[in-house]
């Protein structure tokens, strides 16, 4: 809306600012307090594609999925009140998993603030503990500056979600528009300086170590340091294990990739955590699901912690050498100081543990002889069909652990899952976002029958956008992960974990999505191949053995070396 | 040891931001750390604010907490100090019936000995101010209390550190270019 003075409205300034930040995709849901911005979106629809999800939570997870595969900032819009509160779960998820996201919410007019006006909620207060930064804007003239700052903060340093709340009067108000990108905020240091001294100390420990072991996290992916990381481990020959969010940073079949650490991780890396003489943590934060009982976690080892966020240093595990900074810078420096090595015997130990795990767990899971289908054999078929080139999106529960354990990855940024928050309902919308963030790639969502029904309405968004997401529901008619705990720790008292499910195939078809259900092993391969071949959204339900459990497992409170195989 | 608790003064330099108090107090709340006192004011640098927060906690906890505070975007720097690393004071105000001042000769002596100041005298009441350590204001409280205190209030701790905190340097350095 231009007037004679070339002034534009705050709402238009929002859209122009987004265009300046190269945003061409937004997930959101309109409502009263954000209508002026939607009106501008209508005018700028050639430049920005707004995807109407079916629930605001879906918009956040879609933005997360988009960001995780593309490395770009996910953008979300919602109205005030319930629209804004519906974002909270996704924002919390993005915060704990360090996903860059900018959420723009409408707010009641500034003169109504604090009056309990219709659809007024204190979204700044509500979102404060789960945002990297948030800010309310009540004057149109502040919009470009605040949005520039929002994008800078969301994506710099350790990324995270930012929420900007814009009052309706600020959206209408006219202003002189000028956009300047933000390159610094004086009170904020996104990347701490590294110390050459500490890198030297780290290299010394590495050169002296007989049994060094690397555990890497999402930092390798967020730091865009996959190649640097691979160079380091190949030069030093150090066995390397991943946290759930580090998955796909190193190809599955790399000879130094020894599997997953943590509660349902692999046998070798968990047990040998308590046998290594040097533990090198790279871009990970020693989550309790990774460490088990801290009192008996790697006590025998020296610890090197390479990390961008100073608050993570010594938070859970105290390090002997902390290397702050961006690993994209620090890893190559470290690589240049370490000796070439190969820890053949030590690596062999991991392989021996793998053989035990294979005999006791993996073989029965991927080549089952019993009648019921296992989750792992479905993943094996997906691997066969996609050759490890797909982006795999998972929800939360048994299927998530099984998928992360068995899925094969050739490329980075291919594993999209809710790690830190464990948000059921994440996968379906996140898969939509992933497909839109990497349209040339195959995207397969693997979801439990419980979590699927938490955001099942996003089938509508998938259908409306025509995104060729492949949806696999592993149906065990249970909230499987909770059931497994009830079986193991609550004498099989299955309190409210059994699900009586609808006809999922009919529901998918109701959204005009091609769908099939498989309950027999002999039909599985063809069904998976047919799904992967399809160029359209596709739904596949697989009936899974009801009481299929995930092993190995570190019971809560136990040490990593007490991991159970059965 | 890990659990040994002592008094720490946390000093936080910040940009003036509406929501910051909320963010900072949430960091304490989440870890069940009670804030004994909290004062905010302008700092030695224009437009930069300073929080002084007193807590009773273990050093193990306070170290981690200060890093979490520093991580907030609008926080420039955050420090923690033990009592012997800072110069600190509190101020207390005591409102007493004027009648007691004249009837009870002893009160005048108490005021004089405690080196407190009389801020205001009116026909009905007078107000005494005492600045010092907690023991000083508490001692005066205990002495005046028998004569009837109409009102009593004590400020949060204000404190300066013995060692420099170099905020200007930090401000000069923070740029990502
Ligand atoms: C929003 C939310 N609510 C509750 C939980 C707790 N929870 C974790 S796993 C799980 C069961 C998931 O069941 P399902 O989606 O069927 O997957 P499965 O474990 O059977 O593979 C539950 C209830 C959660 N993680 N997220």
């Amino acid at each position: 809306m231009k007037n004679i003075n070339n002034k534009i409205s705050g709402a238009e300034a929002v859209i122009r600012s987004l265009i300046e930040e190269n945003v061409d995709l937004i997930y959101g849901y309109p409502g009263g307090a954000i209508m002026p911005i939607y009106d501008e979106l209508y005018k700028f629809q050639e430049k920005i594609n707004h995807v109407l999800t079916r629930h605001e939570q879906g918009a956040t997870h879609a933005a997360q999925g988009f960001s995780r595969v593309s490395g770009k900032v996910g953008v979300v819009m919602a109205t005030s009140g319930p629209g804004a509160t519906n974002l909270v779960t996704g924002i919390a998820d993005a915060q704990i998993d360090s996903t860059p996201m900018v959420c723009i919410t409408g707010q009641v007019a500034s003169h109504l603030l604090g009056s309990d006006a219709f659809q007024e909620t204190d979204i700044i207060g509500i979102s404060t503990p789960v945002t990297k930064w948030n800010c309310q804007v009540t004057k149109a003239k502040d919009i470009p500056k605040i949005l520039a700052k929002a994008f800078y903060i969301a994506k710099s340093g350790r990324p995270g979600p930012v929420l900007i709340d814009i009052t309706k009067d600020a959206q209408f108000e006219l202003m002189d528009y000028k956009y300047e990108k933000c390159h610094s905020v004086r009170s904020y240091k996104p990347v701490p300086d590294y110390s050459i001294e500490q890198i030297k100390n780290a290299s010394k420990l590495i050169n002296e170590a007989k049994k060094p072991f690397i555990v890497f996290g999402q930092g390798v992916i967020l730091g865009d340091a996959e190649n640097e990381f691979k160079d380091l481990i190949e030069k030093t020959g150090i066995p390397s294990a991943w946290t759930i969010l580090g998955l796909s940073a190193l190809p599955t079949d790399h000879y130094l990739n020894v599997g997953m650490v943590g509660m349902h991780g692999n046998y070798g890396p968990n047990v040998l955590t308590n046998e290594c003489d040097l533990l090198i943590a790279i871009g990970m934060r020693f989550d309790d699901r990774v460490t088990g009982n801290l009192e008996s976690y790697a006590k025998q080892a020296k610890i090197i912690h390479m990390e961008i966020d100073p608050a993570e240093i010594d938070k859970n595990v105290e390090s002997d050498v902390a290397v702050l900074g961006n690993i994209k810078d620090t890893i190559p420096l470290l690589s240049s100081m370490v000796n070439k090595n190969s820890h053949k015997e030590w690596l062999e130990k991991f392989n021996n543990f793998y053989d035990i795990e294979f005999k006791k767990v993996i073989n029965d899971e991927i080549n089952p002889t019993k009648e019921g289908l296992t989750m792992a054999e479905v993943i094996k078929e997906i691997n066969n069909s996609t050759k490890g080139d797909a982006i795999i999106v998972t929800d939360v529960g048994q299927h998530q652990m099984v998928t992360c354990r068995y899925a094969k990855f050739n490329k980075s940024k291919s594993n999209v899952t809710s790690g830190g928050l464990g948000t059921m309902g994440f996968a379906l919308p996140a898969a939509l976002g992933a497909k839109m963030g990497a349209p040339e790639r195959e995207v397969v969502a693997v979801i439990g029958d419980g979590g699927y029904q938490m955001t099942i309405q996003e089938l509508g968004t998938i259908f409306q956008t025509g995104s060729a997401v492949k949806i696999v529901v592993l149906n065990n008619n249970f909230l499987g992960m909770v059931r497994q705990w009830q079986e193991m720790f609550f004498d099989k008292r299955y309190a409210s974990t059994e699900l009586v499910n609808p006809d999922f195939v009919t529901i998918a078809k109701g959204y005009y999505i091609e769908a099939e259900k498989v309950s027999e092993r002999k039909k599985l391969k063809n069904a998976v191949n047919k799904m992967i071949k399809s160029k359209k959204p596709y739904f596949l339900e697989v009936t899974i053995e009801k009481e299929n459990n995930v092993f190995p497992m570190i019971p809560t409170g136990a040490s990593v070396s007490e991991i159970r195989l059965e | 040891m890990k659990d040994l608790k002592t008094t720490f003064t946390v000093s936080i330099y910040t940009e003036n931001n509406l929501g910051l108090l909320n963010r900072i107090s949430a960091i304490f709340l989440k870890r069940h750390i009670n804030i004994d006192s909290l004062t905010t004011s302008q700092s030695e640098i224009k437009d930069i604010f300073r929080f002084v927060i007193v807590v009773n906690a273990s050093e193990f906890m306070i170290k981690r907490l200060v890093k979490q505070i520093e991580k907030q975007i609008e926080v420039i720097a955050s420090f923690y100090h033990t009592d012997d690393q800072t110069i600190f004071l509190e101020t207390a105000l005591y409102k007493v019936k004027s009648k007691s001042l004249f009837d009870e000769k002893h009160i005048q002596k108490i005021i004089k000995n405690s080196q407190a100041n009389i801020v205001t005298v009116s026909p009905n009441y007078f107000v005494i101010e005492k600045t010092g350590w907690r023991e000083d204001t508490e001692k005066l409280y205990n002495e005046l209390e028998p004569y009837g205190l109409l009102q009593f209030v004590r400020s949060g701790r204000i404190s300066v550190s013995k060692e420099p905190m170099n905020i200007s340097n930090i401000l000069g350095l923070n740029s990502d270019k």
Side-chain angles (χ1 to χ4, degrees), chain A residues 131 186-187 309 313-314, chain B residues 15 23 64 67 71 73:
Chain A
T131 45
R186 69 172 180 172
S187 57
D309 178 0
I313 302 295
D314 298 344
Chain B
E15 300 282 359
R23 257 180 203 280
R64 284 158 179 76
K67 283 194 197 172
K71 185 166 157 175
I73 302 291

Side-chain angles (χ1 to χ4, degrees), chain A residues 128 131-134 149 152-153 158 183-184 186-190 309-311 313-315 318, chain B residues 2 15 22-23 46-48 60 64 67-68 71-76 171 173-177:
Chain A
T128 291
T131 45
K132 187 172 174 187
W133 185 62
N134 62 8
K149 193 170 160 184
Y152 170 67
I153 290 171
R158 179 175 180 178
H183 298 288
S184 73
R186 69 172 180 172
S187 57
Y188 165 55
K189 192 171 172 68
D309 178 0
I313 302 295
D314 298 344
K315 187 182 80 178
E318 297 208 23
Chain B
K2 209 166 150 176
E15 300 282 359
N22 204 345
R23 257 180 203 280
K46 191 168 173 281
D47 295 333
I48 302 291
F60 179 87
R64 284 158 179 76
K67 283 194 197 172
Q68 293 294 335
K71 185 166 157 175
Q72 305 307 313
I73 302 291
E74 265 124 357
V75 170
I76 295 157
L171 281 177
L173 284 175
N174 283 2
S175 99
D176 188 36
K177 278 175 201 161

Side-chain angles (χ1 to χ4, degrees), chain B residues 105-118 128-130 136 139-140 143-144:
Chain B
K105 285 275 143 42
H106 198 62
I107 284 199
Q108 298 184 17
K109 215 164 122 196
I110 293 172
I111 296 169
K112 205 168 151 218
N113 288 346
S114 68
Q115 291 177 310
N117 297 314
I118 298 181
I128 305 165
E129 170 268 335
K130 169 73 195 159
D136 306 325
K139 181 161 173 274
L140 184 57
E143 289 168 346
L144 291 175

Side-chain angles (χ1 to χ4, degrees), chain A residues 253-281:
Chain A
D253 52 16
H254 191 280
Y255 71 105
L256 290 168
N257 187 335
V258 294
M260 174 161 75
V261 287
M263 186 172 265
H264 293 289
N266 292 102
Y267 192 37
N270 275 311
V271 172
L272 296 175
T273 294
N274 279 357
E275 201 182 309
C276 66
D277 59 357
L278 176 65
L279 179 71
I280 307 149

Side-chain angles (χ1 to χ4, degrees), chain A residues 375 395-400 421-425 447-452 454 474 476 478-482 499:
Chain A
M375 294 185 173
D395 210 71
V396 173
Q398 292 181 313
H399 68 278
Q400 175 191 33
L421 203 66
T423 306
M424 285 171 70
I447 317 181
D449 47 314
Y452 182 54
M454 282 205 173
L474 300 182
N476 52 12
F478 266 114
L479 299 175
M481 186 58 94
V482 179
L499 288 163

